[in-house]
Each structure stands twice: as C-alpha cells, then as structure tokens.
Amino acid sequence: MLRQRALAARIKRLESDVLLSWSGFAREAVAEAVRRSGAVLVYREGGGCWFEHAPAAADRFTREISGAICNTHASMRMLQLKWGYEGPAQVCLGGIRPDVMVAADACNADRRTPLKRRPRIGVAARLASEKGVCLAIHAVARLRAAGMDCVLDIAGDGPDRWHLEALVATLGLESEIRFLGTVVNMPAFYRSLDVLLHPALQEPLGNVTIEAQAFGVPVVATCVDGMAETVRHGRTGLLVTAGEPYATYARLGGTPSSMQSTQVYDPGTDKLRPATFARPQALADAVAAVVSDEVSHQRMSTAAEAHARDTFAFERHVDAFIDAVGRFGQKTARGHSRL
C-alpha cells in the first residue's frame, strides 16, 4: 500500500499524463497509482501475459488499460484470449537495435562465407527450461548419429547450465558442443553460424531469431507464439510443429521452471493451447534440410537478411511505438501528454 501511494504521488508530482507499463502485467501498484493520480495507463505487452497472475489483480489491471502495444500478434492475442482484454490494441513488431544492424551491414552477402564442411549450429538463449536448449542438444545427437559431422555452439547462461552440461556429457558430445557463456560480441557469434536453432516452448517475439536473420543466418524454430511472425517458413528458415506433451519433457532433460507458461498461443488455430515441445528428430530433420544444399541455403540466407531489414527496421518500430503511445495516452484535461 505504501509503495502504491508513493508511486501515485510521484506520478502526480511529475504531472505525468501517461504511465507506460513495460510487460509488467497485473501489477497492483501500477493499477492503484493510475487510479490515484488520474494518469492514463498504456501497457506494452512483450511476455508478461504468458505467466500466471491472480485473476482479480489481472482484472483490475486490464480495466485500467487505455491501450495495449503488443510486440507481436501473438502477444496481442494472449492478452485478449487469456485475460479477456477488450480495449484498444496495436501490434508494433519489435525492431533490431541500430548497432546490431550496423554490424549486420558490414557482413553483407558478398562477403558471406559458403556453407561449412562441418555445419555450425547455434543456440542463443537464457539457459532455462522454457528455451528448449536440451532439445537442441538431442537434435545434434540425432544429426551425428545419422552421419552429419556438425557442431553446436551455445551462447548464454542461466540456471540450467550445469544440468545441460551433464546432459552433453551423458550423450558423449563434449567435443561437438561448446558452452560459450555470456557472449559480448554477438555479431561475431552470428557470423560464425550456418543455422540458428531456437526450439523454445514459448516465445512472444524472439530477438535472437530476428538478429540472426539480419546476419543472413537461416533459423529453425518451434512454431509457437510469435515465431510464425518472425520466421518465414520455407523462405528464411523452417518452423517445426510442437506436438509432444509437456509431461514427457523431463525425459529429455527438461526441468521445472518458474518462467514456464502453462498455455501458449497457437498461430495455426488462433487459440490458446497447453504448452508442448518439438520432437528432437523433427528439429534435426529441419536443420539437415537447411544445411543440405548450398544453393537453397544461400537463397534462405539472402531472404532472411531482407526480411529482417524490411520487417524489423528500428526506425519503423520507434515511429509506430511513439504514435501508439500518443494515441492511447491522449488526455483532454491538458493540452499535451507527458510520459
């Protein structure tokens, strides 16, 4: 209660017209501060709706929202389908940071190296169960069992690292799979890859998938949530159906996670469904299809770069976002809006 009052007083003191809540869904302090201060609440959805919240708190929060800005269509539908939001909403696709795009520009098609004789697969993710990294490890095991001499580099760190390292040792893949930890130079990481593998069980947007495509790296990802909006199936990569029941995930190394959502958005049916995961063999088959032919890989690479540049331009993202905040945050009591 003290926090709510302090936040409301601060908003009043700043004469703020608009309070922008960045993926902070169902926060009681925010909803109460809006009521006390008279400010307008604009909610930016980019993942907060996937998690479980007290229904009463979620209802109070959604009733205060003047407008929702969603980083994908999947985010908008999650807000609407799971929490019953019926107010104004706008999809404002995420944008690639300018520094990343500058680095990608320096790695243009003329200087892109051909497919490596030993294909290099990359994973870039927080090492937590909902990202499906254990599935990538099993996929590599299946690729090697089928005769493909490939390697996997894993960029990122997190609570499951020790568990994943143990899985790699159990499968006897210590020479083929490297854990890079937190990578400072992500452009160099992307440039080193032939394909990015992103087998997440849930993913509102997936920044790493659009960044990899900016570097001309085709992506293999799970067809769930916003992945169908960031990866163009058959053109910039391949999407793999997630049909395995979550109850069997532990058999492949999946661990319980507080970040794991019980429901995800199915882009094929425009409905919510229980969280599932993709079969490692299906992921392996998709990776093999991407790296099996030099000509088709180059075609995907070129299409991925163009898709990232055209769809996720940072300037377009910023312009659309500011426009949405302005429209949703309009107040007649004052002549202008202040964030």
Side-chain angles (χ1 to χ4, degrees):
M1 187 178 297
L2 290 174
R3 189 178 299 121
Q4 292 168 7
R5 288 178 178 174
L7 182 58
R10 186 174 304 157
I11 294 169
K12 251 187 170 179
R13 186 167 62 251
L14 294 172
E15 297 185 344
S16 299
D17 294 300
V18 181
L19 181 61
L20 177 63
S21 180
W22 195 277
S23 290
F25 185 72
R27 290 186 175 172
E28 292 274 28
V30 173
E32 182 63 23
V34 167
R35 285 191 291 269
R36 288 176 175 273
S37 66
V40 167
L41 174 62
V42 176
Y43 175 59
R44 186 268 186 183
E45 169 53 38
C49 281
W50 267 255
F51 309 121
E52 300 308 314
H53 303 279
D59 181 63
R60 285 191 290 270
F61 188 85
T62 54
R63 280 192 274 115
E64 295 295 337
I65 298 175
S66 169
I69 305 172
C70 307
N71 67 347
T72 56
H73 178 77
S75 290
M76 182 179 72
R77 294 301 284 150
M78 181 64 75
L79 179 61
Q80 294 167 338
L81 295 173
K82 185 171 183 177
W83 300 108
Y85 176 70
E86 298 178 347
Q90 177 176 321
V91 175
C92 181
L93 285 174
I96 298 174
R97 296 198 326 266
D99 60 313
V100 175
M101 189 56 76
V102 168
D105 286 340
C107 178
N108 57 42
D110 293 335
R111 285 180 286 147
R112 192 170 299 125
T113 56
L115 266 172
K116 301 171 185 62
R117 294 182 61 184
R118 193 185 197 199
R120 185 169 297 277
I121 305 162
V123 166
R126 179 174 180 266
L127 302 189
S129 190
E130 67 276 2
K131 295 299 183 181
V133 181
C134 63
L135 303 176
I137 293 171
H138 282 285
V140 169
R142 283 159 172 75
L143 286 168
R144 294 192 60 81
M148 180 185 289
D149 184 18
C150 58
V151 293
L152 172 65
D153 282 344
I154 300 174
D157 215 331
D160 279 7
R161 178 165 178 169
W162 70 270
H163 185 78
L164 295 169
E165 289 176 335
L167 176 61
V168 168
T170 298
L171 295 174
L173 295 173
E174 297 99 320
S175 299
E176 290 77 29
I177 297 180
R178 297 190 302 171
F179 287 85
L180 305 180
T182 301
V183 174
V184 176
N185 190 352
M186 285 300 291
F189 173 77
Y190 292 131
R191 284 195 296 268
S192 72
L193 304 180
D194 293 302
V195 59
L196 181 84
L197 180 54
H198 194 64
L201 280 66
Q202 64 194 61
E203 193 62 85
L205 173 67
N207 281 313
V208 296
T209 65
I210 62 176
E211 289 182 0
Q213 289 176 87
F215 284 85
V217 180
V219 175
V220 170
T222 312
C223 188
V224 65
D225 297 330
M227 290 296 90
E229 300 170 61
T230 58
V231 179
R232 294 287 181 250
H233 181 66
R235 289 186 55 220
T236 70
L238 294 175
L239 295 170
V240 179
T241 301
E244 299 301 299
Y246 183 74
T248 64
Y249 189 43
R251 300 175 191 172
L252 294 169
T255 58
S257 170
S258 60
M259 299 289 285
Q260 176 62 53
S261 177
T262 58
Q263 289 183 303
V264 294
Y265 174 70
D266 184 350
T269 63
D270 189 38
K271 294 180 180 178
L272 301 185
R273 63 166 173 78
T276 54
F277 63 93
R279 289 187 302 111
Q281 186 60 57
L283 295 167
D285 292 343
V287 169
V290 169
V291 301
S292 62
D293 179 73
E294 179 76 47
V295 174
S296 62
H297 182 272
Q298 184 60 48
R299 190 182 303 119
M300 271 191 178
S301 176
T302 302
E305 184 179 350
H307 170 55
R309 183 178 306 282
D310 295 342
T311 309
F312 303 101
F314 189 74
E315 295 78 7
R316 182 185 303 172
H317 166 71
V318 171
D319 289 345
F321 195 94
I322 291 175
D323 176 70
V325 171
R327 287 187 294 104
F328 294 152
Q330 285 181 352
K331 289 179 67 71
T332 58
R334 296 173 186 153
H336 62 280
S337 292
R338 181 179 298 172
L339 199 62

